[in-house]
Amino acid sequence: MTTVEEHRTTVERERHARVADAAYEIRMGVLEQGEAQGEGYVGQALGIADVLAAVYCDKLKYRADDPEWEGRDRFLLSIGHYALASYAALAAAGVIPREELQTYAADGSRLPMSGMKTYTPGMEISGGSLGHGLGQAVGMALGLRVQGRDDQLVYNLLSDGELNEGSTWEAAMSASHWQLGNLIALVDLNGLQADGRTDDVLRLEPQEERWASFGWDVQRVDGNDLEAVLAALDHVTETAAAQGVPKVILCDTRLANGVPVLEAKDKLHFLRVAAEEWPIAKEQLTAGHREAQS
Amino acid sequence: MTATTTTTTADATTSAAPEAVPVKRSAAMIASIADPGVPTTSAPFGHALAALGERDQRVVGLTADLSKYTDMHVFAAAHPERYFEMGMAEQLMVGAAAGMAAVGLVPFATTYSVFATRRAYDFLCLDAAEPRLNVNIVAALPGLTTGYGPSHQATEDVAILRGMPDLTIFDPADALDVEAIVPAAAALEGPTYTRLLRGQVPRILDRYDYTFEVGKAKVVRPGDDAVIVSSGLMTMRALLAADTLSADHSVELSVVHCATLKPFDEATVVAQLDTDRTAFTAENHTVVGGLFETVAGALVRRGIAKQVNPIGLPDEFLDAGALPTLHDKYGLSTQSVVDRVLGALR
């Protein structure tokens, strides 16, 4: 007979394994899409895979067969170029067929290179012009609350580069002004933007202090440590609407995480990968996942 | 509060001051656009939105620190639980309005035209128009309706917005148009932009057999000698000019009002212009990228060679000053329209 404590541990272990499997599946989906095009924002997508797995496969309330279900939580991708990560997550969540990932960025595909609401089931906004997501998230969180539906959560995934945009900070200020406890910002801090390291382009630190001074509940985690990500998400969902404080999880991630052959590349903002490297990348990903499981 | 323009005498308080001369003074940012003898309605937008809010619980109001100056305060008082002061943050306001529309609400968001267009364009375009959301931007001080100078004169707002796909653009002539546009905008699925007339707004279209219809140009007044295609407050000026031309000069001016600038009712307008009458456009906007060029494009597309005289603002940053002075100077006043028509007919 198992004790309550042992049972809890088993449940946690199973949960962790399930999300780790989803993260693996998302990364594989990212590599498949990258291979289909030969290039892309693969590094960012691999880096954020653990966060997406935790959100889509453990937290988000949705119906895979009815993406427009009114009672769903919202996940807003304002970093449009991370679309391949979102598509892989939507496939892992069963919202789009996994085979469809092969059409990524192809003519006539529902999966354009920059994510758009009008193209893809499960995409909530048309991202890509950076600094737009958090403002829309404020409107959704406020709009849900005014309709008495603030048990529905609004997640916005934004990048560190988007913190350059003034509009992000307008929205950050507004979220705490309106006490939007049903709003969760996930910031991917991978330290790189188009022109170079974020520290060199426009200094962003100290991040915790900046968000805290704007009135947010702040956590900073290793975004590639699944347990840490899950624990942070547990905190925000447990204290969601009632607390009246918007939450941010600052996720330090590593570009191309989980695939050493790609992690070693130096131009990680937009990866170009030789055809013969993709099979190696997939083998490394699978080997790493097996090793972590054992 | 009614903004008025008054004539007063400057105080000569120091020896260095210039000799006291009568100056026209604009008492507030928003000067009256009503011509003498034209009745007005107070805050037609705010009252129409409050009334719509009674009937439709989905209607919400947002503003960017300009509720009093966009008549949104009327809605705010009637429906405080559905009113959102977003602060002086136009990008946020438009994005948040899109977010609200995405969760089933019908937002109306107000600011000045300059800020809605110059500052928040990207947000209106990608957050609202691309996803075809029911976001309604209601923007005060369109064109030349303040003497505050280029920071507040949205002389090119239509030019900025005309290229945005799926955006409906309204340019109401008077209070009746404003009142009709509010429920019409809410009923449209996609985003709208309305060039708001606020405060004490003239009421003139009830003198004619006219009803507002989305996407329709209407012949408000017939006339055999000349025809003017107009929008916004210039329709009011054109109608008043037509009265003067008829009474004092025996000239019959037809007025074709385009309350919807986009989508544009080319068929009606071209049919009215493809006659031997002397033709004009009249707009409270620069002659670049607005009604005149919309009309010109419609004519050219059909291979119709017709001279059209544009009445509108010049392609330049305009002066600051008292609004009546500026409307005279830049050709938007009723008398200016009379003079332009007579000059062309001569």
Side-chain angles (χ1 to χ4, degrees):
Chain A
M1 189 176 158
T2 56
T3 64
V4 172
E5 192 55 41
E6 283 167 342
H7 175 71
R8 192 176 292 148
T9 308
T10 305
V11 169
E12 266 307 300
R13 201 181 305 122
E14 284 171 1
R15 176 194 187 207
H16 186 275
R18 181 167 44 80
V19 178
D21 284 346
Y24 166 72
E25 201 181 321
I26 290 170
R27 285 194 170 89
M28 189 57 81
V30 166
L31 291 179
E32 286 167 10
Q33 293 171 84
E35 187 174 17
Q37 284 295 317
E39 60 186 15
Y41 299 96
V42 174
Q44 294 90 332
L46 293 171
I48 203 64
D50 296 308
V51 173
L52 288 179
V55 170
Y56 271 94
C57 300
D58 193 63
K59 288 295 176 191
L60 207 63
K61 198 165 50 177
Y62 64 95
R63 289 178 180 166
D65 58 351
D66 182 13
E68 296 293 309
W69 172 49
E70 213 185 39
R72 71 191 185 278
D73 291 338
R74 264 64 174 182
F75 181 87
L76 281 58
L77 180 75
S78 54
I79 346 159
H81 56 287
Y82 281 42
L84 73 174
S86 268
Y87 301 152
L90 288 168
V95 178
I96 60 173
R98 182 163 179 91
E99 313 82 74
E100 194 169 350
L101 296 180
Q102 293 298 325
T103 72
Y104 170 64
D107 291 344
S109 170
R110 295 197 300 177
L111 313 180
M113 192 165 272
S114 186
M116 279 181 276
K117 177 185 174 78
T118 42
Y119 279 63
T120 317
M123 294 295 279
E124 298 284 1
I125 62 170
S126 293
S129 182
L130 301 179
H132 284 232
L134 198 56
Q136 292 175 80
V138 164
M140 286 187 192
L142 205 44
L144 288 168
R145 188 170 78 190
V146 78
Q147 297 173 83
R149 294 159 57 194
D150 58 1
D151 57 319
Q152 293 172 244
L153 303 182
V154 180
Y155 295 81
N156 175 216
L157 175 62
L158 58 161
S159 66
D160 42 11
E162 287 192 272
L163 305 179
N164 291 181
E165 296 282 2
S167 53
T168 297
W169 298 104
E170 288 183 8
M173 202 165 14
S174 183
S176 67
H177 174 82
W178 290 104
Q179 301 180 311
L180 298 176
N182 54 340
L183 176 61
I184 299 159
L186 306 165
V187 184
D188 182 18
L189 300 170
N190 61 32
L192 194 68
Q193 57 193 105
D195 269 352
R197 285 159 31 83
T198 52
D199 278 351
D200 298 330
V201 175
L202 185 58
R203 194 169 54 255
L204 302 171
E205 299 293 347
Q207 273 299 295
E208 294 100 312
E209 288 86 341
R210 289 186 181 184
W211 286 93
S213 75
F214 274 70
W216 287 60
D217 174 301
V218 186
Q219 298 177 86
R220 187 161 187 164
V221 299
D222 178 342
N224 296 123
D225 177 343
L226 213 44
E227 279 186 34
V229 170
L230 283 169
L233 284 168
D234 285 346
H235 165 74
V236 298
T237 52
E238 281 160 13
T239 60
Q243 192 187 340
V245 176
K247 286 97 183 163
V248 61
I249 305 177
L250 303 165
C251 305
D252 289 295
T253 65
R254 288 175 290 288
L255 287 151
N257 181 259
V259 184
V261 67
L262 301 182
E263 283 179 46
K265 291 189 177 292
D266 54 2
K267 289 183 177 169
L268 278 164
H269 180 73
F270 189 83
L271 268 176
R272 290 194 171 81
V273 180
E276 62 272 20
E277 286 182 302
W278 291 107
I280 300 168
K282 290 178 184 172
E283 282 165 23
Q284 289 184 341
L285 175 64
T286 302
H289 181 56
R290 281 200 190 122
E291 193 182 309
Q293 279 179 312
S294 60
Chain B
M1 186 189 72
T2 305
T4 55
T5 300
T6 54
T7 301
T8 185
T9 305
D11 293 331
T13 52
T14 69
S15 59
E19 190 180 335
V21 291
V23 293
K24 275 186 180 172
R25 198 168 68 187
S26 178
M29 175 176 298
I30 305 166
S32 174
I33 55 164
D35 284 54
V38 177
T40 62
T41 296
S42 179
F45 164 66
H47 290 288
L49 189 65
L52 180 66
E54 289 294 329
R55 304 194 296 274
D56 188 341
Q57 297 297 310
R58 299 172 305 155
V59 172
V60 293
L62 300 84
T63 192
D65 197 27
L66 285 171
S67 67
K68 282 180 287 186
Y69 302 93
T70 58
D71 293 346
M72 180 58 90
H73 64 294
V74 179
F75 178 85
H79 305 288
E81 73 290 353
R82 281 184 275 144
Y83 164 69
F84 302 96
E85 169 61 79
M86 301 307 288
M88 208 187 299
E90 294 79 13
Q91 301 176 113
L92 164 73
M93 178 181 70
V94 174
M100 290 180 178
V103 296
L105 299 173
V106 179
F108 282 74
T110 69
T111 179
Y112 286 156
S113 298
V114 280
F115 308 134
T117 58
R118 295 175 186 163
R119 196 152 197 145
Y121 181 93
D122 195 30
F123 295 77
L124 182 56
C125 187
L126 289 162
D127 301 2
E130 199 282 331
R132 292 187 280 278
L133 291 169
N134 191 341
V135 171
N136 304 290
I137 305 298
V138 181
L141 304 189
L144 176 57
T145 45
T146 174
Y148 258 48
S151 64
H152 286 65
Q153 292 162 345
T155 53
E156 83 289 24
D157 61 332
V158 175
I160 290 171
L161 292 180
R162 251 182 79 211
M164 188 184 295
D166 293 327
L167 179 72
T168 298
I169 303 175
F170 296 122
D171 196 11
D174 74 347
L176 296 166
D177 258 357
V178 170
E179 289 163 356
I181 283 168
V182 170
L188 284 174
E189 280 190 14
T192 67
Y193 173 82
T194 298
R195 306 184 85 211
L196 179 66
L197 305 175
R198 52 76 61 201
Q200 297 297 325
V201 179
R203 197 172 66 246
I204 193 167
L205 287 167
D206 51 358
R207 299 178 188 178
Y208 304 89
D209 181 20
Y210 167 85
T211 50
F212 168 84
E213 274 184 86
V214 174
K216 296 288 184 199
K218 296 285 180 81
V219 180
V220 179
R221 187 188 202 282
D224 292 337
D225 301 315
V227 57
I228 194 162
V229 174
S230 59
S231 69
L233 71 88
M234 289 310 293
T235 291
M236 173 183 69
R237 295 274 155 81
L239 290 167
L240 294 169
D243 290 345
T244 300
L245 286 163
S246 179
D248 299 348
H249 306 279
S250 300
V251 168
E252 293 306 320
L253 173 67
S254 177
V255 178
V256 182
H257 174 45
C258 307
T260 311
L261 291 175
K262 189 181 179 185
F264 191 67
D265 184 359
E266 292 195 359
T268 299
V269 169
V270 167
Q272 291 300 315
L273 291 178
D274 194 14
T275 60
D276 55 11
R277 294 175 295 182
T278 302
F280 303 83
T281 54
E283 60 194 305
N284 170 32
H285 187 270
T286 166
V287 291
V288 176
L291 178 65
F292 170 65
E293 290 190 357
T294 303
V295 167
L299 291 170
V300 169
R301 240 191 311 281
R302 287 165 173 74
I304 297 165
K306 171 75 176 177
Q307 184 179 10
V308 176
N309 302 285
I311 296 172
L313 298 167
D315 178 21
E316 59 189 65
F317 289 108
L318 307 185
D319 287 353
L323 195 62
T325 311
L326 297 175
H327 275 196
D328 278 335
K329 171 171 181 166
Y330 294 113
L332 298 192
S333 66
T334 300
Q335 187 57 48
S336 303
V337 175
V338 170
D339 294 343
R340 282 289 299 273
V341 172
L342 290 176
L345 288 173
R346 220 169 264 139

